[in-house]
Amino acid sequence: MSLNRRTFLGASAAAGAGVAMAGGVTVPAEAQGRGLGGLPKRYAFTVMGTTDLHGNVFNWDYFTDKEFDDKAHNDVGLAKISTLVEQVRAEKGRQNTLMIDAGDTIQGTQLSYYYAKVDPITAKRGPVHPMAQAMNAIGYDAAALGNHEFNYGIPVLRKFEEQCDFPLLGANALDAKTLTPAFAPYVIKRLRTPHGPDVKVAILGLTNPGIAIWDKANVSGKMVFPGLVEQAAKFVPRLRSMGADVVIVSAHSGTSGTSSYGDQVPYVENAAALVAEQVPGIDAILVGHAHLEIPEYFVENKGTGKKVVLSEPLKWGQRLTLFDFDLAWEEGRWVVESAGSQVLNSNTVAEDPKITGLLADEHKKVVAYVNQVIGTSTAAMTTAEAAWKDEPIIDLINVVQAETVKAALAGGAYAALPVLSQASCFSRTAQIPAGNVTIKDAAGLYPFENTLEARLLTGAQIKDYLEFSARYYVQTAAGVPVDTAKLTNAGNTPDYNYDAVSGLTYEIDIAKPNGSRIVNLSFEGRAIDPAAEFVLAVNNYRASGGGNFPHVPGAKQLWANSEEIRNTIIGWVQAKGSVDGAQFASVDWRLTRDGVPVF
């Protein structure tokens, strides 16, 4: 029988784990039970973890083309993480440490984009991905798959996997036909102790079921993604039966127990705490996906009463998690006596010259790329207030999307329908300067690899859509002072899940409760007809259910393409030669209270 690569990975995970465990001679347990004075033998080790690196190697922001900085003066990148890792190894002993990641590695910066699209790693004699080079140099032992690993398609992901010296783990990323793991589900590492018996540490990787929605075009018919709890319940007992002394889960899934995709898939998006609570036999979980900082969080397992420690280091390499384990040799096996976690801040150290030197050429290429001039702008535009005002810079996204959809539908059955467009304020620091406009300026406006679709909606559905979006604002009574620092992100709604819609006019009355905030919704100066049909230019994330907005996922798809909206904006600016906000900017929506504008 012949085995293809996926079948081999799914069928022989145990064999692969055996290779990882190979080496060393195990002294019989009965000869190793107690040390001098009859005290139990003990061993301590540390597992370091990162997550949501999103293509960050250098402490550099390619969208502003300068050193990264934020209000908290955080730093980013694997070069900083490498310095912390070496410090921990020097303190603990390299042989007493492991290094893992919880996913979202190859998407997010122009560095990662460049080596997926401009100089792709999939090309014949193509380059080695910078993230693979850096992580190999640091010495990662394993990394879970994140949902953004699938953004550039499976071939890019497979090439990245091939270039890594460590396994990419995904126990719930299954081949759609065989329902066997399409990637290695786990790896077992063996740590030498001074006492003879090795400690066998199992690392189980789990990814996000939302991939089936968010990257439907890339994975449909190829892979399926069952729930984290369900797959952990299958694999953790297996790992224990294989002799694992310690079981660590690396999960690209937050702790909140919530989902942004509603009931479109039957599995929870942020399920890490549920895994700890419902699956016995887990000692620790490295959490990812939510972009939160959780130094240490304990969850009690319902079946055993045992506390499981969870930790999530802040995104982009801003933090490094340390799980510290204390073990004792009892009755012929290693037992975890205590486990805790903490995070280290990467802004406390310098970049590791080993990493920056390794990738200096790649960094220079990308800096040159993002500084290419593609046009000019008659005035400066910024997103600084775009979260609460209709700003020209968001209108730019919408005009590009609407014009692109109109051109695509021209001459067809839906050409006469009005085209609306949705856009979000992805970053509050994006700007289009007056004068020369570069690739980095346009790319900073749209940092995600979303593509464009056209969906058919009614006036009533558009109103529902806007009401859902308006939940983003904190209810604020008329006459109460408005603090913009506290006005947005109600219910922890991220900026990218607030949509402004162009092509019609409306008010958002923030004094009213959710569900009844959209006021004076009009099209071409008249109240919108609930039965009228509209085309909505919408990104694929939203169209596939991202954010759980109503109606769009089930709406008729009229058109879709595979080009990133970011590149469509860049091409539009290049074609126009000059960006003039006066030609497209308009105030289509505003915040009000009892009819009085807030701003």
Side-chain angles (χ1 to χ4, degrees), residues 386-523:
W388 53 85
K389 291 182 181 179
D390 186 350
E391 294 282 25
I393 196 167
I394 303 299
D395 292 337
L396 173 60
I397 299 174
N398 276 325
V399 73
V400 172
Q401 292 182 162
E403 287 186 6
T404 301
V405 167
K406 286 176 184 176
L409 298 180
Y414 300 95
L417 290 181
V419 176
L420 313 178
S421 178
Q422 62 79 221
S424 302
C425 175
F426 294 118
S427 165
R428 299 193 187 189
T429 59
Q431 57 183 333
I432 301 293
N436 287 341
V437 178
T438 63
I439 285 177
K440 76 171 185 287
D441 299 323
L445 182 57
Y446 214 108
F448 295 106
E449 274 67 51
N450 295 340
T451 57
L452 188 61
E453 298 191 15
R455 297 285 179 125
L456 183 65
L457 278 81
T458 66
Q461 291 174 326
I462 291 293
K463 186 175 187 297
D464 287 346
Y465 187 100
L466 291 171
E467 288 284 9
F468 185 89
S469 185
R471 303 184 314 163
Y472 172 73
Y473 295 105
V474 174
Q475 187 172 3
T476 310
V480 174
V482 174
D483 180 357
T484 56
K486 300 177 181 178
L487 176 63
T488 62
N489 307 103
N492 294 319
T493 302
D495 290 348
Y496 62 77
N497 274 343
Y498 169 66
D499 287 357
V501 175
S502 71
L504 35 71
T505 58
Y506 59 97
E507 297 171 12
I508 302 173
D509 190 330
I510 60 173
K512 297 184 183 302
N514 289 336
S516 58
R517 291 181 167 181
I518 301 303
V519 180
N520 296 327
L521 178 58
S522 303
F523 175 69

Side-chain angles (χ1 to χ4, degrees), residues 33-305:
R34 304 246 162 200
L36 293 174
L39 295 175
K41 293 178 178 177
R42 286 185 162 80
Y43 175 68
F45 72 98
T46 297
V47 177
M48 297 173 282
T50 53
T51 191
D52 296 277
L53 293 168
H54 284 288
N56 285 281
V57 173
F58 297 84
N59 186 39
W60 195 260
D61 185 345
Y62 293 99
F63 295 130
T64 60
D65 196 25
K66 61 184 180 182
E67 183 175 316
F68 177 88
D69 196 22
D70 62 12
K71 291 180 180 178
H73 301 298
N74 288 302
D75 288 344
V76 300
L78 278 171
K80 291 261 183 175
I81 290 295
S82 182
T83 301
L84 289 175
V85 168
E86 290 307 311
Q87 288 181 353
V88 173
R89 286 172 175 160
E91 177 189 347
K92 309 281 187 179
R94 188 185 185 102
Q95 73 279 10
N96 302 319
T97 66
L98 295 172
M99 181 72 192
I100 63 176
D101 183 80
D104 275 6
T105 304
I106 59 171
Q107 175 278 337
T109 64
Q110 285 294 281
L111 180 72
S112 53
Y113 177 82
Y114 187 89
Y115 288 98
K117 291 290 190 177
V118 181
D119 185 11
I121 61 174
T122 48
K124 189 175 181 179
R125 297 192 184 94
V128 177
H129 199 289
M131 294 301 287
Q133 292 190 59
M135 295 173 83
N136 289 342
I138 291 169
Y140 274 77
D141 292 289
L145 294 164
N147 53 284
H148 283 288
E149 259 65 85
F150 294 83
N151 285 175
Y152 296 118
I154 292 174
V156 169
L157 175 54
R158 286 298 187 191
K159 188 64 179 181
F160 175 69
E161 179 189 28
E162 177 186 311
Q163 293 176 342
C164 290
D165 294 340
F166 52 90
L168 301 183
L169 306 178
N172 62 328
L174 308 182
D175 182 278
K177 294 180 180 178
T178 65
L179 297 183
T180 57
F183 295 83
Y186 58 84
V187 66
I188 298 181
K189 307 296 290 187
R190 201 160 192 157
L191 297 176
R192 288 290 188 90
T193 76
H195 310 299
D198 294 346
V199 173
K200 288 171 278 188
V201 182
I203 303 162
L204 176 68
L206 296 170
T207 192
N208 206 289
I211 296 166
I213 295 174
W214 304 321
D215 268 301
K216 182 178 180 180
N218 290 328
V219 302
S220 182
K222 299 172 184 177
M223 293 185 193
V224 294
F225 303 87
L228 285 84
V229 173
E230 292 80 359
Q231 289 302 100
K234 290 181 181 180
F235 279 98
V236 172
R238 184 183 306 179
L239 294 170
R240 289 294 185 182
S241 70
M242 292 168 61
D245 300 300
V246 182
V247 173
I248 300 169
V249 174
S250 184
H252 193 74
S253 182
T255 61
S256 66
T258 61
S259 294
S260 68
Y261 41 66
D263 59 359
Q264 293 177 79
V265 296
Y267 307 112
V268 176
E269 176 182 352
N270 294 300
L274 296 176
V275 172
E277 181 183 78
Q278 297 179 25
V279 181
I282 297 169
D283 295 293
I285 301 179
L286 179 65
V287 178
H289 183 61
H291 289 200
L292 299 175
E293 180 176 344
I294 305 175
E296 184 180 64
Y297 173 47
F298 288 98
V299 174
E300 184 175 301
N301 183 268
K302 284 185 174 180
T304 65

Side-chain angles (χ1 to χ4, degrees), residues 548-565:
N548 201 28
F549 277 62
H551 305 306
V552 176
K556 182 180 179 64
Q557 184 190 78
L558 307 181
W559 172 84
N561 75 350
S562 59
E563 182 180 73
E564 289 94 344
I565 294 170

